[in-house]
Amino acid sequence: LAFFLCFTTAQAQNYEESKVPAYTLPEVLKMEDGTAVRNKASWENKRRPEILRLFEDNVYGQMPKKHDSLSFTVTNEVPNAMDGMARLKEVTITAWKDKKSADIHLTLFIPTKPKKPVPAFLLINNRDQNNTDPTRATKSDFWPAEMVVDSGYAVAAFHVSDAAPDTKDSYQNGILRLYPEQLKADNGMKAIGAWAWAASRVMDYFEADKDIDARKVALVGHSRGGKAASWAGAQDQRFAIVISNNSGNTGAALSRRRFGETVKKINDTFPHWFNDNYKKYNDNEAALPVDQHMLLSLIAPRPVYVTSASEDLWADPRGSYISLLQAQKAYNLYKKPSALSPEPPAINSPIINSYLGYHNREGKHNLTAYDWQNFIQFADYHFTKQK
Ligand code: GTR
């Protein structure tokens, strides 16, 4: 019994700052070979591609660039949705490769009032499908579509299960049917990569929809969806703003802190999220050639907003903030102003007027109306007020 107790203590999650191990983060602005990165050109041509490849190979898996064709079918259109406030479009985005196809179902409300084209918010929905009910019979603060539309933005969502169902036995049954070679590769894409891939296909659709200002799309994801949103926004520079809500381990939080969820824990519980190589870093974070501050740095110079929730220690609020602070090094190359202070702000004190934004909401792990209000403020600042 003594041995068993000892064993379980060793495996228990750490929630104490004093027990965070000493760690050294890989430098955002230093190449693998030790060369310093001093300007935008070497960042964009050398370090950024290097970091992307390190994340593909060691964490999220490859991002397949090629499909044979893509089609967009509007399956339902309601001109006077939301009591006349919005036009509803339900769109099926179909990707084809080697005679196989996969569908992403998009729900999109476009405000009727402001002049077109409009900026948009896109949510990667990882929770109940009813959160994005197109009929609005069910409403949810997880996707407060009326509030977003009322603020002058189009609001869209797709569900992760279209891209990759969220279980280890079924994740193959989405877009991975088009890319079977990924299932065999140690650096092959799995569910999180597939969700990010789908977000980029929605961006392809936005570029074709004249009602949408595709240069002003803010991508939002919560928790596992926030990991996918961060990865999508890191690679696909068409996303103008990236919002990583309570994304935690292998999202915004630093893995080396081993605070709350750890790499081993996430790989054991969700073996279908990250590539096979990532399992080598179970209880071995120091060997990772990246940490999550480098993921956020890839979003530079585009605005990024990270959130935590005060009771969501599993997702390491402090580690998410330090990660954002470290990512600032890439923003500095572009002289993009940041209002981050060395210590995290108080609870419910959002940092909005900054290229790197952050809040720590009072309460539990969730995506709420409070979070969305701040996302809208952040987008207002960057899309209209600041420019
Ligand atoms: C948890 C998981 C987290 C986070 C969360 C969620 O079980 O450990 O990494 O993704 O689920 O998606 O709500």
Side-chain angles (χ1 to χ4, degrees), residues 168-230:
K168 71 174 174 27
D169 299 318
S170 63
Y171 76 96
Q172 308 87 339
N173 301 332
I175 64 119
L176 276 156
R177 288 182 300 110
L178 313 191
Y179 300 105
E181 69 285 356
Q182 297 289 326
L183 297 171
K184 296 182 209 119
D186 288 340
N187 67 349
M189 158 211 266
K190 295 195 194 228
I192 300 265
W195 304 341
W197 184 93
S200 287
R201 301 296 72 76
V202 175
M203 182 48 108
D204 295 340
Y205 167 76
F206 284 154
E207 290 186 323
D209 185 333
K210 294 196 168 44
D211 291 335
I212 303 296
D213 183 350
R215 291 159 310 155
K216 292 186 179 170
V217 174
L219 179 62
V220 182
H222 165 66
S223 202
R224 66 196 70 188
K227 304 178 210 291
S230 310

Short mmCIF file of all heavy atoms in Angstrom, two decimals, residues 168-230:
data_model
loop_
_atom_site.label_atom_id
_atom_site.label_comp_id
_atom_site.label_asym_id
_atom_site.label_seq_id
_atom_site.Cartn_x
_atom_site.Cartn_y
_atom_site.Cartn_z
N LYS A 168 -10.80 8.06 -30.05
CA LYS A 168 -9.61 7.44 -30.64
C LYS A 168 -9.98 6.39 -31.70
O LYS A 168 -9.17 6.04 -32.54
CB LYS A 168 -8.71 6.85 -29.56
CG LYS A 168 -9.21 5.61 -28.85
CD LYS A 168 -8.11 5.10 -27.92
CE LYS A 168 -8.50 3.96 -27.01
NZ LYS A 168 -9.54 3.04 -27.42
N ASP A 169 -11.20 5.88 -31.63
CA ASP A 169 -11.60 4.88 -32.60
C ASP A 169 -12.33 5.45 -33.82
O ASP A 169 -12.61 4.73 -34.76
CB ASP A 169 -12.51 3.83 -31.93
CG ASP A 169 -11.76 3.14 -30.81
OD1 ASP A 169 -10.57 2.81 -31.00
OD2 ASP A 169 -12.36 2.95 -29.73
N SER A 170 -12.65 6.73 -33.77
CA SER A 170 -13.44 7.27 -34.88
C SER A 170 -12.84 8.51 -35.54
O SER A 170 -13.37 8.98 -36.54
CB SER A 170 -14.86 7.59 -34.39
OG SER A 170 -14.82 8.60 -33.40
N TYR A 171 -11.75 9.04 -34.99
CA TYR A 171 -11.21 10.30 -35.54
C TYR A 171 -10.81 10.16 -37.01
O TYR A 171 -10.76 11.15 -37.75
CB TYR A 171 -10.03 10.81 -34.70
CG TYR A 171 -8.73 10.07 -34.93
CD1 TYR A 171 -7.78 10.55 -35.82
CD2 TYR A 171 -8.47 8.87 -34.29
CE1 TYR A 171 -6.59 9.86 -36.06
CE2 TYR A 171 -7.30 8.17 -34.52
CZ TYR A 171 -6.36 8.68 -35.41
OH TYR A 171 -5.20 7.99 -35.64
N GLN A 172 -10.57 8.92 -37.43
CA GLN A 172 -10.15 8.66 -38.82
C GLN A 172 -11.29 8.91 -39.81
O GLN A 172 -11.06 8.98 -41.01
CB GLN A 172 -9.71 7.19 -38.96
CG GLN A 172 -8.69 6.72 -37.95
CD GLN A 172 -9.31 6.19 -36.64
OE1 GLN A 172 -10.45 6.50 -36.30
NE2 GLN A 172 -8.53 5.42 -35.90
N ASN A 173 -12.52 9.00 -39.31
CA ASN A 173 -13.69 9.02 -40.20
C ASN A 173 -14.14 10.40 -40.65
O ASN A 173 -15.29 10.57 -41.00
CB ASN A 173 -14.87 8.31 -39.52
CG ASN A 173 -14.53 6.88 -39.17
OD1 ASN A 173 -13.69 6.27 -39.85
ND2 ASN A 173 -15.13 6.35 -38.14
N GLY A 174 -13.25 11.35 -40.63
CA GLY A 174 -13.58 12.67 -41.16
C GLY A 174 -12.69 12.95 -42.35
O GLY A 174 -12.58 12.13 -43.27
N ILE A 175 -12.00 14.07 -42.30
CA ILE A 175 -11.17 14.44 -43.45
C ILE A 175 -9.95 13.51 -43.61
O ILE A 175 -9.34 13.48 -44.67
CB ILE A 175 -10.72 15.92 -43.37
CG1 ILE A 175 -9.83 16.15 -42.16
CG2 ILE A 175 -11.90 16.86 -43.34
CD1 ILE A 175 -8.49 16.64 -42.58
N LEU A 176 -9.62 12.75 -42.55
CA LEU A 176 -8.47 11.83 -42.68
C LEU A 176 -8.74 10.72 -43.69
O LEU A 176 -7.80 10.07 -44.16
CB LEU A 176 -8.07 11.29 -41.31
CG LEU A 176 -7.13 12.26 -40.59
CD1 LEU A 176 -7.16 12.08 -39.09
CD2 LEU A 176 -5.70 12.12 -41.12
N ARG A 177 -10.00 10.53 -44.07
CA ARG A 177 -10.28 9.57 -45.15
C ARG A 177 -9.65 10.04 -46.46
O ARG A 177 -9.34 9.25 -47.33
CB ARG A 177 -11.79 9.38 -45.33
CG ARG A 177 -12.40 8.57 -44.18
CD ARG A 177 -13.88 8.35 -44.35
NE ARG A 177 -14.59 9.62 -44.41
CZ ARG A 177 -15.15 10.11 -45.51
NH1 ARG A 177 -15.14 9.45 -46.64
NH2 ARG A 177 -15.76 11.28 -45.45
N LEU A 178 -9.46 11.35 -46.59
CA LEU A 178 -8.83 11.89 -47.81
C LEU A 178 -7.31 11.76 -47.75
O LEU A 178 -6.63 11.87 -48.77
CB LEU A 178 -9.18 13.36 -48.02
CG LEU A 178 -10.62 13.84 -47.88
CD1 LEU A 178 -10.75 15.26 -48.40
CD2 LEU A 178 -11.58 12.94 -48.61
N TYR A 179 -6.80 11.60 -46.55
CA TYR A 179 -5.34 11.60 -46.35
C TYR A 179 -4.90 10.37 -45.56
O TYR A 179 -4.33 10.49 -44.48
CB TYR A 179 -4.92 12.89 -45.61
CG TYR A 179 -5.29 14.14 -46.35
CD1 TYR A 179 -6.36 14.94 -45.94
CD2 TYR A 179 -4.58 14.54 -47.49
CE1 TYR A 179 -6.71 16.09 -46.64
CE2 TYR A 179 -4.93 15.68 -48.19
CZ TYR A 179 -5.99 16.45 -47.76
OH TYR A 179 -6.34 17.58 -48.45
N PRO A 180 -5.17 9.16 -46.09
CA PRO A 180 -4.89 7.94 -45.31
C PRO A 180 -3.41 7.79 -44.95
O PRO A 180 -3.09 7.16 -43.94
CB PRO A 180 -5.38 6.81 -46.22
CG PRO A 180 -5.49 7.41 -47.59
CD PRO A 180 -5.74 8.86 -47.41
N GLU A 181 -2.53 8.38 -45.78
CA GLU A 181 -1.09 8.26 -45.49
C GLU A 181 -0.73 8.92 -44.15
O GLU A 181 0.24 8.54 -43.50
CB GLU A 181 -0.26 8.84 -46.64
CG GLU A 181 -0.32 10.35 -46.82
CD GLU A 181 -1.62 10.88 -47.45
OE1 GLU A 181 -2.49 10.07 -47.84
OE2 GLU A 181 -1.76 12.11 -47.54
N GLN A 182 -1.55 9.88 -43.73
CA GLN A 182 -1.29 10.55 -42.45
C GLN A 182 -1.40 9.58 -41.27
O GLN A 182 -0.74 9.75 -40.26
CB GLN A 182 -2.29 11.70 -42.24
CG GLN A 182 -2.20 12.81 -43.26
CD GLN A 182 -0.95 13.65 -43.09
OE1 GLN A 182 -0.49 13.87 -41.97
NE2 GLN A 182 -0.39 14.11 -44.19
N LEU A 183 -2.29 8.59 -41.43
CA LEU A 183 -2.53 7.65 -40.33
C LEU A 183 -1.33 6.74 -40.08
O LEU A 183 -1.18 6.18 -39.01
CB LEU A 183 -3.77 6.80 -40.63
CG LEU A 183 -5.08 7.57 -40.73
CD1 LEU A 183 -6.20 6.66 -41.24
CD2 LEU A 183 -5.47 8.18 -39.38
N LYS A 184 -0.45 6.62 -41.10
CA LYS A 184 0.70 5.73 -40.97
C LYS A 184 1.97 6.45 -40.54
O LYS A 184 2.92 5.82 -40.08
CB LYS A 184 0.96 5.01 -42.29
CG LYS A 184 -0.18 4.10 -42.69
CD LYS A 184 0.13 3.36 -43.99
CE LYS A 184 -1.14 3.04 -44.76
NZ LYS A 184 -1.18 3.66 -46.09
N ALA A 185 1.98 7.78 -40.66
CA ALA A 185 3.22 8.52 -40.40
C ALA A 185 3.33 8.90 -38.92
O ALA A 185 2.35 9.25 -38.28
CB ALA A 185 3.25 9.78 -41.26
N ASP A 186 4.56 8.83 -38.39
CA ASP A 186 4.80 9.23 -37.00
C ASP A 186 4.48 10.71 -36.79
O ASP A 186 4.18 11.14 -35.69
CB ASP A 186 6.26 8.99 -36.60
CG ASP A 186 6.55 7.51 -36.45
OD1 ASP A 186 5.59 6.73 -36.27
OD2 ASP A 186 7.74 7.13 -36.53
N ASN A 187 4.62 11.48 -37.88
CA ASN A 187 4.26 12.90 -37.78
C ASN A 187 2.95 13.18 -38.52
O ASN A 187 2.73 14.28 -39.00
CB ASN A 187 5.40 13.78 -38.31
CG ASN A 187 5.61 13.63 -39.80
OD1 ASN A 187 5.05 12.73 -40.42
ND2 ASN A 187 6.40 14.52 -40.38
N GLY A 188 2.10 12.15 -38.58
CA GLY A 188 0.82 12.31 -39.28
C GLY A 188 -0.18 13.13 -38.47
O GLY A 188 -0.17 13.11 -37.25
N MET A 189 -1.03 13.82 -39.19
CA MET A 189 -2.07 14.62 -38.55
C MET A 189 -3.10 13.73 -37.86
O MET A 189 -3.43 12.65 -38.34
CB MET A 189 -2.74 15.44 -39.67
CG MET A 189 -4.11 15.93 -39.37
SD MET A 189 -5.08 16.03 -40.88
CE MET A 189 -4.81 17.72 -41.31
N LYS A 190 -3.60 14.21 -36.72
CA LYS A 190 -4.75 13.51 -36.10
C LYS A 190 -5.87 14.52 -35.88
O LYS A 190 -6.02 15.44 -36.68
CB LYS A 190 -4.30 12.82 -34.81
CG LYS A 190 -3.30 11.70 -35.11
CD LYS A 190 -3.11 10.77 -33.94
CE LYS A 190 -1.89 9.93 -34.17
NZ LYS A 190 -2.12 8.52 -33.91
N ALA A 191 -6.65 14.34 -34.80
CA ALA A 191 -7.89 15.13 -34.69
C ALA A 191 -7.65 16.64 -34.61
O ALA A 191 -8.30 17.40 -35.33
CB ALA A 191 -8.71 14.65 -33.49
N ILE A 192 -6.74 17.08 -33.76
CA ILE A 192 -6.56 18.54 -33.61
C ILE A 192 -6.11 19.14 -34.94
O ILE A 192 -6.58 20.20 -35.35
CB ILE A 192 -5.55 18.86 -32.48
CG1 ILE A 192 -6.05 18.30 -31.14
CG2 ILE A 192 -5.22 20.36 -32.43
CD1 ILE A 192 -6.82 19.19 -30.22
N GLY A 193 -5.22 18.44 -35.64
CA GLY A 193 -4.77 18.91 -36.95
C GLY A 193 -5.93 18.97 -37.94
O GLY A 193 -6.06 19.91 -38.71
N ALA A 194 -6.80 17.97 -37.88
CA ALA A 194 -7.94 17.92 -38.80
C ALA A 194 -8.91 19.08 -38.52
O ALA A 194 -9.47 19.67 -39.46
CB ALA A 194 -8.67 16.58 -38.65
N TRP A 195 -9.10 19.40 -37.25
CA TRP A 195 -10.01 20.53 -36.94
C TRP A 195 -9.41 21.84 -37.46
O TRP A 195 -10.14 22.69 -37.97
CB TRP A 195 -10.24 20.62 -35.42
CG TRP A 195 -10.78 19.35 -34.81
CD1 TRP A 195 -11.39 18.32 -35.46
CD2 TRP A 195 -10.75 18.98 -33.42
NE1 TRP A 195 -11.73 17.32 -34.57
CE2 TRP A 195 -11.34 17.70 -33.30
CE3 TRP A 195 -10.26 19.59 -32.25
CZ2 TRP A 195 -11.49 17.05 -32.08
CZ3 TRP A 195 -10.40 18.94 -31.03
CH2 TRP A 195 -11.00 17.68 -30.95
N ALA A 196 -8.10 21.98 -37.32
CA ALA A 196 -7.43 23.19 -37.82
C ALA A 196 -7.53 23.24 -39.35
O ALA A 196 -7.78 24.30 -39.93
CB ALA A 196 -5.97 23.21 -37.37
N TRP A 197 -7.36 22.10 -39.99
CA TRP A 197 -7.46 22.02 -41.45
C TRP A 197 -8.85 22.49 -41.89
O TRP A 197 -9.00 23.25 -42.85
CB TRP A 197 -7.20 20.57 -41.87
CG TRP A 197 -7.17 20.30 -43.34
CD1 TRP A 197 -6.06 20.29 -44.15
CD2 TRP A 197 -8.29 19.98 -44.19
NE1 TRP A 197 -6.43 20.00 -45.44
CE2 TRP A 197 -7.79 19.80 -45.49
CE3 TRP A 197 -9.65 19.83 -43.97
CZ2 TRP A 197 -8.60 19.47 -46.58
CZ3 TRP A 197 -10.48 19.51 -45.05
CH2 TRP A 197 -9.95 19.33 -46.34
N ALA A 198 -9.86 22.05 -41.17
CA ALA A 198 -11.24 22.42 -41.51
C ALA A 198 -11.45 23.93 -41.37
O ALA A 198 -12.15 24.55 -42.18
CB ALA A 198 -12.23 21.66 -40.64
N ALA A 199 -10.84 24.53 -40.35
CA ALA A 199 -10.97 25.99 -40.17
C ALA A 199 -10.42 26.71 -41.40
O ALA A 199 -10.99 27.70 -41.86
CB ALA A 199 -10.24 26.43 -38.91
N SER A 200 -9.35 26.19 -41.96
CA SER A 200 -8.78 26.80 -43.17
C SER A 200 -9.69 26.62 -44.38
O SER A 200 -9.74 27.48 -45.26
CB SER A 200 -7.40 26.21 -43.46
OG SER A 200 -6.47 26.72 -42.53
N ARG A 201 -10.42 25.52 -44.44
CA ARG A 201 -11.37 25.35 -45.56
C ARG A 201 -12.54 26.33 -45.42
O ARG A 201 -13.09 26.80 -46.40
CB ARG A 201 -11.89 23.90 -45.63
CG ARG A 201 -10.82 22.82 -45.82
CD ARG A 201 -10.05 22.90 -47.14
NE ARG A 201 -9.12 23.98 -47.28
CZ ARG A 201 -7.89 24.04 -46.70
NH1 ARG A 201 -7.48 23.08 -45.90
NH2 ARG A 201 -7.09 25.06 -46.91
N VAL A 202 -12.92 26.63 -44.16
CA VAL A 202 -13.95 27.65 -43.97
C VAL A 202 -13.41 29.00 -44.44
O VAL A 202 -14.12 29.78 -45.08
CB VAL A 202 -14.41 27.72 -42.50
CG1 VAL A 202 -15.40 28.87 -42.30
CG2 VAL A 202 -15.05 26.40 -42.06
N MET A 203 -12.14 29.26 -44.17
CA MET A 203 -11.53 30.50 -44.66
C MET A 203 -11.56 30.53 -46.19
O MET A 203 -11.83 31.57 -46.78
CB MET A 203 -10.10 30.61 -44.11
CG MET A 203 -9.39 31.86 -44.51
SD MET A 203 -10.34 33.36 -44.26
CE MET A 203 -9.51 34.06 -42.89
N ASP A 204 -11.32 29.39 -46.83
CA ASP A 204 -11.44 29.33 -48.30
C ASP A 204 -12.85 29.78 -48.71
O ASP A 204 -13.02 30.51 -49.68
CB ASP A 204 -11.22 27.90 -48.82
CG ASP A 204 -9.80 27.39 -48.59
OD1 ASP A 204 -8.89 28.22 -48.39
OD2 ASP A 204 -9.62 26.15 -48.60
N TYR A 205 -13.84 29.29 -47.98
CA TYR A 205 -15.23 29.68 -48.29
C TYR A 205 -15.42 31.19 -48.08
O TYR A 205 -16.00 31.87 -48.94
CB TYR A 205 -16.24 28.89 -47.43
CG TYR A 205 -17.60 29.51 -47.53
CD1 TYR A 205 -18.38 29.34 -48.67
CD2 TYR A 205 -18.08 30.35 -46.51
CE1 TYR A 205 -19.60 29.99 -48.81
CE2 TYR A 205 -19.29 31.00 -46.64
CZ TYR A 205 -20.05 30.81 -47.79
OH TYR A 205 -21.24 31.46 -47.93
N PHE A 206 -14.95 31.71 -46.96
CA PHE A 206 -15.11 33.15 -46.70
C PHE A 206 -14.53 33.98 -47.84
O PHE A 206 -15.08 35.01 -48.22
CB PHE A 206 -14.42 33.55 -45.39
CG PHE A 206 -15.18 33.15 -44.14
CD1 PHE A 206 -14.49 32.94 -42.95
CD2 PHE A 206 -16.56 33.01 -44.15
CE1 PHE A 206 -15.18 32.59 -41.79
CE2 PHE A 206 -17.25 32.66 -42.99
CZ PHE A 206 -16.55 32.45 -41.81
N GLU A 207 -13.41 33.53 -48.38
CA GLU A 207 -12.79 34.29 -49.48
C GLU A 207 -13.68 34.32 -50.72
O GLU A 207 -13.52 35.17 -51.58
CB GLU A 207 -11.41 33.69 -49.82
CG GLU A 207 -10.40 33.96 -48.70
CD GLU A 207 -8.99 33.51 -49.07
OE1 GLU A 207 -8.85 32.46 -49.72
OE2 GLU A 207 -8.05 34.21 -48.66
N ALA A 208 -14.60 33.35 -50.78
CA ALA A 208 -15.49 33.29 -51.95
C ALA A 208 -16.85 33.93 -51.68
O ALA A 208 -17.64 34.09 -52.60
CB ALA A 208 -15.68 31.82 -52.35
N ASP A 209 -17.13 34.29 -50.42
CA ASP A 209 -18.43 34.87 -50.07
C ASP A 209 -18.30 36.40 -50.01
O ASP A 209 -17.62 36.93 -49.13
CB ASP A 209 -18.91 34.32 -48.72
CG ASP A 209 -20.32 34.80 -48.38
OD1 ASP A 209 -20.72 35.89 -48.85
OD2 ASP A 209 -21.01 34.08 -47.62
N LYS A 210 -18.96 37.07 -50.93
CA LYS A 210 -18.81 38.53 -51.03
C LYS A 210 -19.38 39.28 -49.84
O LYS A 210 -19.10 40.47 -49.65
CB LYS A 210 -19.44 39.03 -52.33
CG LYS A 210 -18.70 38.51 -53.55
CD LYS A 210 -19.06 39.29 -54.81
CE LYS A 210 -18.11 38.98 -55.95
NZ LYS A 210 -17.83 37.53 -56.10
N ASP A 211 -20.21 38.62 -49.04
CA ASP A 211 -20.75 39.27 -47.85
C ASP A 211 -19.72 39.38 -46.73
O ASP A 211 -19.92 40.11 -45.75
CB ASP A 211 -21.96 38.49 -47.31
CG ASP A 211 -23.16 38.60 -48.26
OD1 ASP A 211 -23.23 39.58 -49.02
OD2 ASP A 211 -24.00 37.68 -48.23
N ILE A 212 -18.65 38.60 -46.83
CA ILE A 212 -17.66 38.53 -45.75
C ILE A 212 -16.38 39.25 -46.14
O ILE A 212 -15.88 39.08 -47.26
CB ILE A 212 -17.31 37.04 -45.44
CG1 ILE A 212 -18.57 36.24 -45.08
CG2 ILE A 212 -16.26 36.93 -44.32
CD1 ILE A 212 -19.28 36.68 -43.83
N ASP A 213 -15.85 40.03 -45.20
CA ASP A 213 -14.53 40.63 -45.39
C ASP A 213 -13.50 39.63 -44.89
O ASP A 213 -13.18 39.57 -43.70
CB ASP A 213 -14.44 41.95 -44.62
CG ASP A 213 -13.11 42.66 -44.85
OD1 ASP A 213 -12.21 42.05 -45.45
OD2 ASP A 213 -12.99 43.83 -44.43
N ALA A 214 -13.00 38.84 -45.82
CA ALA A 214 -12.12 37.71 -45.44
C ALA A 214 -10.78 38.18 -44.86
O ALA A 214 -10.06 37.39 -44.25
CB ALA A 214 -11.90 36.79 -46.63
N ARG A 215 -10.47 39.47 -45.01
CA ARG A 215 -9.24 39.97 -44.39
C ARG A 215 -9.46 40.32 -42.93
O ARG A 215 -8.52 40.70 -42.22
CB ARG A 215 -8.74 41.22 -45.13
CG ARG A 215 -8.22 40.92 -46.55
CD ARG A 215 -8.24 42.18 -47.37
NE ARG A 215 -9.56 42.81 -47.22
CZ ARG A 215 -9.80 44.10 -47.38
NH1 ARG A 215 -8.83 44.93 -47.67
NH2 ARG A 215 -11.04 44.58 -47.25
N LYS A 216 -10.70 40.18 -42.47
CA LYS A 216 -11.02 40.50 -41.07
C LYS A 216 -11.79 39.35 -40.42
O LYS A 216 -12.94 39.51 -40.03
CB LYS A 216 -11.82 41.79 -40.99
CG LYS A 216 -11.01 43.03 -41.39
CD LYS A 216 -11.79 44.29 -41.16
CE LYS A 216 -10.94 45.50 -41.54
NZ LYS A 216 -11.74 46.73 -41.56
N VAL A 217 -11.15 38.21 -40.35
CA VAL A 217 -11.79 37.06 -39.71
C VAL A 217 -11.06 36.74 -38.41
O VAL A 217 -9.84 36.59 -38.39
CB VAL A 217 -11.80 35.83 -40.64
CG1 VAL A 217 -12.34 34.60 -39.91
CG2 VAL A 217 -12.63 36.11 -41.89
N ALA A 218 -11.82 36.66 -37.33
CA ALA A 218 -11.27 36.28 -36.02
C ALA A 218 -11.65 34.82 -35.76
O ALA A 218 -12.83 34.46 -35.80
CB ALA A 218 -11.84 37.18 -34.93
N LEU A 219 -10.66 34.00 -35.52
CA LEU A 219 -10.89 32.57 -35.27
C LEU A 219 -10.91 32.33 -33.76
O LEU A 219 -9.99 32.74 -33.05
CB LEU A 219 -9.76 31.75 -35.92
CG LEU A 219 -9.83 30.24 -35.73
CD1 LEU A 219 -11.10 29.65 -36.35
CD2 LEU A 219 -8.59 29.58 -36.34
N VAL A 220 -11.95 31.65 -33.28
CA VAL A 220 -12.13 31.41 -31.84
C VAL A 220 -12.22 29.91 -31.58
O VAL A 220 -12.92 29.19 -32.31
CB VAL A 220 -13.46 32.03 -31.33
CG1 VAL A 220 -13.63 31.82 -29.83
CG2 VAL A 220 -13.56 33.51 -31.68
N GLY A 221 -11.55 29.45 -30.53
CA GLY A 221 -11.73 28.07 -30.10
C GLY A 221 -11.61 27.99 -28.61
O GLY A 221 -10.85 28.75 -27.99
N HIS A 222 -12.38 27.08 -28.01
CA HIS A 222 -12.35 26.90 -26.56
C HIS A 222 -11.73 25.54 -26.24
O HIS A 222 -12.11 24.53 -26.83
CB HIS A 222 -13.78 26.96 -26.01
CG HIS A 222 -13.91 26.43 -24.62
ND1 HIS A 222 -13.31 27.06 -23.54
CD2 HIS A 222 -14.53 25.33 -24.12
CE1 HIS A 222 -13.59 26.36 -22.43
NE2 HIS A 222 -14.31 25.31 -22.76
N SER A 223 -10.80 25.57 -25.31
CA SER A 223 -10.22 24.33 -24.79
C SER A 223 -9.60 23.50 -25.91
O SER A 223 -8.73 23.99 -26.62
CB SER A 223 -11.27 23.56 -24.01
OG SER A 223 -10.64 22.70 -23.13
N ARG A 224 -10.09 22.27 -26.15
CA ARG A 224 -9.50 21.49 -27.25
C ARG A 224 -9.71 22.23 -28.58
O ARG A 224 -8.88 22.16 -29.47
CB ARG A 224 -10.07 20.07 -27.27
CG ARG A 224 -11.51 19.96 -27.59
CD ARG A 224 -12.09 18.60 -27.22
NE ARG A 224 -12.17 18.43 -25.76
CZ ARG A 224 -12.48 17.30 -25.15
NH1 ARG A 224 -12.75 16.21 -25.85
NH2 ARG A 224 -12.52 17.24 -23.84
N GLY A 225 -10.83 22.95 -28.67
CA GLY A 225 -11.06 23.78 -29.86
C GLY A 225 -10.10 24.96 -29.89
O GLY A 225 -9.75 25.47 -30.96
N GLY A 226 -9.66 25.41 -28.71
CA GLY A 226 -8.69 26.51 -28.61
C GLY A 226 -7.30 26.05 -29.03
O GLY A 226 -6.51 26.84 -29.58
N LYS A 227 -6.99 24.78 -28.77
CA LYS A 227 -5.71 24.22 -29.24
C LYS A 227 -5.74 24.23 -30.77
O LYS A 227 -4.77 24.64 -31.43
CB LYS A 227 -5.53 22.79 -28.72
CG LYS A 227 -5.61 22.64 -27.18
CD LYS A 227 -5.46 21.18 -26.75
CE LYS A 227 -6.20 20.80 -25.47
NZ LYS A 227 -5.73 21.33 -24.23
N ALA A 228 -6.87 23.79 -31.33
CA ALA A 228 -6.99 23.74 -32.80
C ALA A 228 -6.97 25.14 -33.40
O ALA A 228 -6.35 25.36 -34.44
CB ALA A 228 -8.27 23.00 -33.19
N ALA A 229 -7.65 26.10 -32.75
CA ALA A 229 -7.67 27.47 -33.28
C ALA A 229 -6.27 28.06 -33.26
O ALA A 229 -5.86 28.73 -34.22
CB ALA A 229 -8.63 28.33 -32.45
N SER A 230 -5.52 27.80 -32.20
CA SER A 230 -4.15 28.34 -32.12
C SER A 230 -3.28 27.74 -33.22
O SER A 230 -2.50 28.45 -33.86
CB SER A 230 -3.53 28.03 -30.76
OG SER A 230 -4.40 28.40 -29.72
#
